[in-house]
Amino acid sequence: MVGMKGRLALAAVALAGATIVAAPPAGAVQCRLCNAPSTAPEIARNSAPVTLQVEASLNFDRLILMTAGDGVATLLPDGTRTVSGSLTSFSGRAMVGSVSIRGEPGRAVRVDLPRRVELYSPAGGRMIIEGLIADLPSAPRLDSTGRLEFRFGGRLRVSGDSEGDYRGDIPVTVEYL
């Protein structure tokens, strides 16, 4: 049995900095002859604003490195966990991210997650979460109560001897279609 080289503790990746955008209603046009034209989209007066609430942060928790080298930890939206390379163990406390969207019932929305997120440790170390994946339907739409919930996970790349506590922000953008 190979001895444990070090522990890699990954704290919660917070979903701070969520962006909320409401698209203009279909057919809305700006007056180009007005004194003070604006390029900002107009929000329909009868349209409910879209809101975003983080229910749970994506958290890889603790990973164990057996040797200094490259490894990948994958956490899927359904909670499935896998490790490869120099990583040998995945904590049972790891959690997928969970988001709740509220707005106008029945409205179609577009949800954008970044392709990659950089995580940093207080000591200056850096890791990358890539391949963020969500369990959203192909054409997301708010239900009859104006709500849509989804979960997401991703693939964490570890390289070298990356012991430490890493954190980062995952910006989520939601807009009406």
Side-chain angles (χ1 to χ4, degrees):
M1 182 168 155
V2 179
M4 182 171 44
K5 171 77 174 157
R7 287 189 146 186
L8 172 66
L10 296 174
V13 176
L15 284 165
T19 304
I20 302 170
V21 179
V29 183
Q30 176 189 342
C31 171
R32 296 194 186 269
L33 300 175
C34 298
N35 290 337
S38 170
T39 58
E42 292 182 28
I43 299 174
R45 288 184 174 90
N46 60 353
S47 182
V50 64
T51 62
L52 180 73
Q53 181 176 344
V54 177
E55 303 293 334
S57 296
L58 179 60
N59 186 342
F60 284 86
D61 198 46
R62 295 188 190 279
L63 299 169
I64 297 177
L65 285 165
M66 287 304 282
T67 61
D70 296 341
V72 175
T74 304
L75 181 57
L76 298 178
D78 66 2
T80 303
R81 303 170 187 149
T82 59
V83 292
S84 64
S86 64
L87 296 172
T88 61
S89 180
F90 212 129
S91 169
R93 295 183 310 194
M95 292 182 0
V96 298
S98 176
V99 173
S100 177
I101 302 168
R102 295 181 196 265
E104 186 177 327
R107 286 288 298 263
V109 293
R110 182 174 69 208
V111 179
D112 291 321
L113 293 169
R115 292 183 188 200
R116 59 186 277 150
V117 175
E118 293 185 2
L119 306 178
Y120 296 96
S121 74
R126 185 178 77 121
M127 286 187 192
I128 305 286
I129 296 178
E130 58 189 18
L132 286 169
I133 183 170
D135 62 1
L136 284 163
S138 60
R141 183 173 293 280
L142 302 178
D143 67 14
S144 62
T145 64
R147 188 171 180 160
L148 173 66
E149 294 181 353
F150 69 93
R151 299 180 329 160
F152 66 94
R155 189 173 45 252
L156 176 70
R157 288 210 174 272
V158 177
S159 27
D161 188 5
S162 303
E163 187 172 351
D165 193 19
Y166 292 78
R167 296 178 187 263
D169 294 335
I170 300 175
V172 177
T173 304
V174 179
E175 61 185 322
Y176 284 135
L177 295 180

